[in-house]
Amino acid sequence: MRKGAPSVLDRPIGKGKTEVSLSAFAFLFSELVQYSQQRVTKTDELEKRLEVVGVRVGERILELLCYREKASRRERKLLDMLGFVHTNVWKCLFGKAAESLEESVDDEDTYYISDKELLVNRFISVPKDWNLNCGSFVAGVVKGVLDSAGFSAQVTAHYVKSELEGQSRTTIVMKFSPEVMAREQRIAS
Amino acid sequence: MEKINAELFTLTYGSTVRQLLIDNEENVDAVNVQLDKMGYNIGIRLVDEFLAKSSGARCRDFKEAAEMIAKHGLKMFLGVTASVSNWNADNTECSLIMDDNPMVDFVELPEQYSNLSYCNMLCGVFRGALEMVNMRVECWYVRDLLRGDDVFEMRLKLLEVTAESYNDED
């Protein structure tokens, strides 16, 4: 408990303009990855652990942004919520909106957000024969935001090789649960 | 230095501390040790970037090194500064005093974690970074904003100045 300073609830929430160096974050994230790696044997377990840490960040970001930018309201429609993640959440975390937000052609419950260079992956190099994307941390953040806003979804991060750009981009895949899709239809009709 | 929103850093740090508490079954002492260890790993790498980007910063002794951390190191990475005070007679122990620290925004310690040194990673960073410039130190919190004090006070104690060792074969 803070006795000297006013409690968290009594202090202003801040405008979100305070900055730290990207290096500080990169060092911290790198330690998080290494620490998590020591406690698992498979890469998908490692991704799972990073996701779990990300989820807790997402839950808090939702609360913070709704309070600060949306006058304590949150989106209720799926597309608005996706736009919120793609624009507001990305801008807050990474300083710019995500590059693209797309709907899956085959599955109407699946959406993609992708970015050429995900901030968390900037300083991470993965051995060629490992199927690992540390973007699973960001997938966790997205899941935290969506789940606590009432849009439960499975969220995963994948590298997608792009022939055109010659480099791989990270795509965050969001597959919403059937209840969410059913609710959407009810709202629409 | 490229900058990012401090909130990403703050929340990620918080979530990491939470994960350590879960993994160590709420054993606060074990978490303090682990945070220090992770900080140490960061410190030994971070010092290179600091020296490269602080153009010509040189510390001849422990006193200058402490000032360098307080005025430039913390500023470069966390955007805050500290003041150095409470030197002992032979200049081997001092305090770094910080009014605030982006690591603790939004944070309040629940009672059962009152022994958690939430920012212990920072102690490890100082220890690691100074070891790379041949100063072996101990570092611990004397006052902690989260534990009811009005500022952060970190005590820095010089244990020994090690000789430069060259391991290259050539």
Side-chain angles (χ1 to χ4, degrees), chain A residues 45-56:
Chain A
E45 288 171 10
L46 176 54
E47 286 184 340
K48 186 70 207 162
R49 282 190 72 100
L50 294 176
E51 182 190 315
V52 168
V53 176
V55 166
R56 283 191 292 263

Side-chain angles (χ1 to χ4, degrees), chain A residues 140-185:
Chain A
V141 174
V142 172
K143 186 178 168 59
V145 171
L146 292 175
D147 280 1
S148 9
F151 294 86
S152 72
Q154 281 184 326
V155 188
T156 46
H158 305 274
Y159 278 119
V160 178
K161 273 256 175 338
S162 155
E163 308 235 327
L164 252 159
E165 291 153 3
Q167 69 188 74
S168 47
R169 49 200 292 135
T170 297
T171 296
I172 308 285
V173 180
M174 295 159 286
K175 188 175 171 59
F176 290 93
S177 62
E179 311 92 79
V180 175
M181 300 315 291
R183 188 181 63 208
E184 273 301 298
Q185 285 198 328

Side-chain angles (χ1 to χ4, degrees), chain A residues 1-9 11 13-25 27-32 34-35 38-39 49 52-57 60-61 64-65 68 91-94 119-120 122 137, chain B residues 1-9 11-16 18-20 22-24 34 37-39 41-42 45-47 49 53 76-79 100 102 104-111 121 145-150:
Chain A
M1 285 241 263
R2 289 191 190 209
K3 294 189 196 81
S7 86
V8 165
L9 295 175
R11 273 176 292 142
I13 200 157
K15 294 200 172 70
K17 300 276 182 239
T18 317
E19 292 184 321
V20 296
S21 70
L22 171 61
S23 303
F25 176 77
F27 280 123
L28 172 64
F29 189 66
S30 145
E31 273 311 306
L32 173 64
Q34 291 178 63
Y35 165 80
Q38 287 162 9
R39 304 181 81 93
R49 282 190 72 100
V52 168
V53 176
V55 166
R56 283 191 292 263
V57 175
R60 284 156 183 78
I61 282 290
L64 187 61
L65 291 184
R68 192 155 60 203
K91 265 193 185 149
C92 170
L93 296 179
F94 309 125
L119 184 96
V120 301
R122 175 107 54 103
F137 172 77
Chain B
M1 293 281 272
E2 198 173 337
K3 297 276 200 268
I4 57 157
N5 182 359
E7 283 162 355
L8 174 63
F9 174 78
L11 293 176
T12 305
Y13 184 72
S15 187
T16 305
R18 163 51 66 194
Q19 192 60 47
L20 296 184
I22 296 170
D23 292 342
N24 289 288
Q34 182 65 37
K37 207 156 119 192
M38 291 167 88
N41 294 339
I42 292 175
R45 295 168 61 199
L46 172 145
V47 73
E49 184 172 0
K53 290 187 175 158
M76 185 183 285
F77 291 95
L78 292 180
D100 207 357
V104 300
D105 282 345
F106 315 125
V107 178
E108 213 154 79
L109 283 189
E111 244 156 67
M121 193 178 274
L145 215 57
L146 293 182
R147 289 191 270 185
D149 299 309
D150 47 353

Side-chain angles (χ1 to χ4, degrees), chain A residues 64-126:
Chain A
L64 187 61
L65 291 184
C66 284
Y67 181 81
R68 192 155 60 203
E69 297 178 9
K70 299 263 168 194
S72 296
R73 290 165 191 272
R74 63 166 173 78
E75 307 295 348
R76 280 168 295 178
K77 289 192 183 150
L78 184 60
L79 284 182
D80 294 338
M81 192 64 214
L82 284 165
F84 174 79
V85 173
H86 165 271
T87 311
N88 302 52
V89 172
W90 240 255
K91 265 193 185 149
C92 170
L93 296 179
F94 309 125
K96 60 177 181 60
E99 273 167 35
S100 70
L101 167 62
E102 291 159 284
E103 187 178 358
S104 162
V105 182
D106 308 317
D107 305 299
E108 61 166 13
D109 61 351
T110 306
Y111 290 82
Y112 309 111
I113 285 180
S114 39
D115 238 337
K116 198 153 40 196
E117 192 189 48
L118 210 54
L119 184 96
V120 301
N121 276 340
R122 175 107 54 103
F123 301 110
I124 303 253
S125 53
V126 179

